[in-house]
Amino acid sequence: MKKQQLLFLHIFYWCIYILGTFIFPYLVFGADADYFKITFAITSFICFYINYFFVIPKFFNIQNLSKTLLAFLLSVFCFVLIRYCVEEIFSPYFFGIRNYNEKTSLSFYFYDNIYYSSTTIFISTVFCLFKLMSDAEVEKRQLIEEKKNSELQALKTQINPHFIFNTLNNIYSLVYQKSDKSLPAIEELSQLLRYSTKDLERDFISLEKEIGYLESLIELEKLRIKNPELLIIEKKINFPNLNISPMLLVPFVENAFKHGDFSGKGFTLKISDENQKLHFHLYNFKKQRSKDSLSGIGIGNVKKRLEILYPKKHELNIIETETDFTVDLRIDLRNE
């Protein structure tokens, strides 16, 4: 509950209190607000907030009956002490009047005021527990959010090294073969990294930019493939400005190139965003006798990020057979 709502609740309670104690009796019965009604109201107000701010937060414990009883007795004692000082010491001294008979014993005074203080203490306790529960819920949500953010940040730091490692391996192979494609590959990589380094700091980027990463990556990989025309890309994007977490789709494409068979074969990538729901479908052939599977840092990273960022808003199906891999991912990107 927000502070404004709690403040309104307190104001509402004291308005009802004043209405029932002073205004209503005056309007209906013509009763004037006598002196001791005012002193009782002042005592109740002070005791209410001593109990609210100090006694309950410090001493109340629902699992410890003795401590809870101590909290109640402490609040009653505060009420009795304040009322006694106002009505039995201050008033007689300055005005010559007192509320109780002068011969009233302290034990009876304390006993009698257990009843009079109970309503104030009970309502104050309820308000305080309500506030503590609300604060605990807010703190819990903040801790969950902080944990989620720190985990996402840790996952993001894994993306760049993993991506660079895979791509540099490809470039190393081109350089080793003294291929004319090595320099264009380095240039393509440097341009790609300029984008990725900048946008990884953001929580979300446009879907258009994420797809641009994929296309740059594919162009980079084409440099080492004999039949680049076999890489089929179909995209139908109607909402290019939809937000998506950066580098969320790249690991799937990376794995396709890492584990796929491109000797006379290619892959098919289809991306669409009908009704602002992303559909990413990737199919590629698998290297024969390959012991690798569609797993590792990249895919595990994506799964964790999907669970954190899109709970109940995504569906990921990865199918692996002896001959091929299929990735089918659907994400509801509305309101991201």
Side-chain angles (χ1 to χ4, degrees):
M1 176 175 283
K2 296 180 179 180
K3 290 182 179 180
Q4 295 88 337
Q5 293 173 315
L6 282 171
L7 179 62
F8 173 79
L9 195 60
H10 283 255
I11 293 173
F12 177 77
Y13 168 71
W14 288 112
C15 287
I16 295 297
Y17 181 91
I18 293 170
L19 184 67
T21 304
F22 299 105
I23 299 176
F24 185 77
Y26 174 78
L27 294 176
V28 177
F29 303 108
D32 292 330
D34 62 42
Y35 174 78
F36 290 112
K37 277 187 177 180
I38 296 173
T39 59
F40 185 86
I42 293 172
T43 301
S44 297
F45 183 86
I46 295 172
C47 182
F48 185 101
Y49 288 105
I50 289 176
N51 185 66
Y52 182 87
F53 287 114
F54 176 74
V55 177
I56 297 303
K58 295 291 184 182
F59 296 97
F60 185 87
N61 188 339
I62 195 64
Q63 296 178 342
N64 189 329
L65 184 60
S66 60
K67 199 171 182 180
T68 301
L69 181 60
L70 175 64
F72 173 74
L73 293 175
L74 184 59
S75 292
V76 172
F77 177 78
C78 290
F79 185 94
V80 171
L81 181 63
I82 294 168
R83 192 178 187 195
Y84 186 83
C85 289
V86 173
E87 296 181 352
E88 308 304 320
I89 297 177
F90 179 85
S91 295
Y93 183 81
F94 286 97
F95 303 107
I97 57 174
R98 63 174 65 245
N99 193 18
Y100 283 75
N101 189 289
E102 190 174 359
K103 295 181 180 180
T104 301
S105 66
L106 287 175
S107 59
F108 177 81
Y109 192 88
F110 185 85
Y111 170 78
D112 194 42
N113 277 279
I114 290 177
Y115 167 77
Y116 288 113
S117 64
S118 58
T119 302
T120 297
I121 293 171
F122 174 76
I123 295 175
S124 174
T125 300
V126 171
F127 276 37
C128 183
L129 292 178
F130 194 66
K131 175 182 178 296
L132 292 175
M133 289 169 56
S134 177
D135 290 346
E137 185 63 27
V138 170
E139 185 177 356
K140 181 181 177 181
R141 287 200 297 267
Q142 288 176 342
L143 288 173
I144 292 173
E145 189 67 22
E146 288 174 4
K147 181 178 181 295
K148 184 177 78 172
N149 290 337
S150 61
E151 187 173 349
L152 277 173
Q153 193 60 39
L155 290 172
K156 278 185 176 182
T157 59
Q158 296 177 8
I159 295 175
N160 249 347
H162 183 241
F163 174 72
I164 296 170
F165 177 78
N166 286 346
T167 308
L168 285 177
N169 271 346
N170 296 336
I171 294 176
Y172 174 82
S173 177
L174 292 174
V175 173
Y176 183 77
Q177 298 170 14
K178 298 181 180 180
S179 171
D180 294 337
K181 298 178 181 179
S182 57
L183 289 178
I186 294 172
E187 184 179 354
E188 189 74 34
L189 175 61
S190 64
Q191 185 174 356
L192 193 64
L193 289 180
R194 275 195 293 270
Y195 285 117
S196 64
T197 303
K198 179 180 177 181
D199 289 318
L200 270 177
E201 298 175 357
R202 302 178 183 176
D203 293 329
F204 295 95
I205 60 173
S206 68
L207 179 59
E208 182 179 38
K209 187 168 286 189
E210 176 74 2
I211 294 174
Y213 291 154
L214 297 182
E215 291 174 333
S216 294
L217 175 61
I218 292 170
E219 288 300 316
L220 185 62
E221 294 289 352
K222 281 182 178 180
L223 296 173
R224 69 177 184 87
I225 294 175
K226 294 181 179 179
N227 304 103
E229 69 277 1
L230 297 178
L231 305 183
I232 300 172
I233 303 173
E234 299 177 8
K235 64 175 184 177
K236 186 179 180 182
I237 303 301
N238 300 310
F239 305 95
N241 293 322
L242 282 177
N243 287 331
I244 188 170
S245 181
M247 293 293 189
L248 196 64
L249 306 177
V250 169
F252 294 118
V253 177
E254 282 187 299
N255 274 272
F257 284 112
K258 181 180 178 182
H259 304 301
D261 182 3
F262 295 94
S263 57
K265 301 175 183 178
F267 75 7
T268 301
L269 173 62
K270 298 180 180 180
I271 304 177
S272 63
D273 64 349
E274 186 176 356
N275 298 322
Q276 300 186 33
K277 296 180 180 180
L278 175 68
H279 184 198
F280 175 93
H281 183 89
L282 176 63
Y283 173 85
N284 68 284
F285 294 95
K286 181 180 176 182
K287 292 177 182 176
Q288 295 299 314
R289 300 178 181 180
S290 173
K291 295 181 181 180
D292 292 333
S293 60
L294 198 58
S295 60
I297 293 176
I299 301 303
N301 187 315
V302 173
K303 288 180 179 179
K304 289 179 182 178
R305 293 174 67 202
L306 285 170
E307 290 170 4
I308 294 172
L309 290 167
Y310 305 100
K312 299 181 181 180
K313 295 180 68 175
H314 79 278
E315 181 181 349
L316 174 62
N317 293 306
I318 299 177
I319 302 172
E320 178 181 354
T321 68
E322 293 183 358
T323 59
D324 53 57
F325 291 125
T326 303
V327 176
D328 192 87
L329 172 63
R330 299 173 187 267
I331 308 176
D332 187 347
L333 294 179
R334 290 174 295 181
N335 301 321
E336 290 300 335

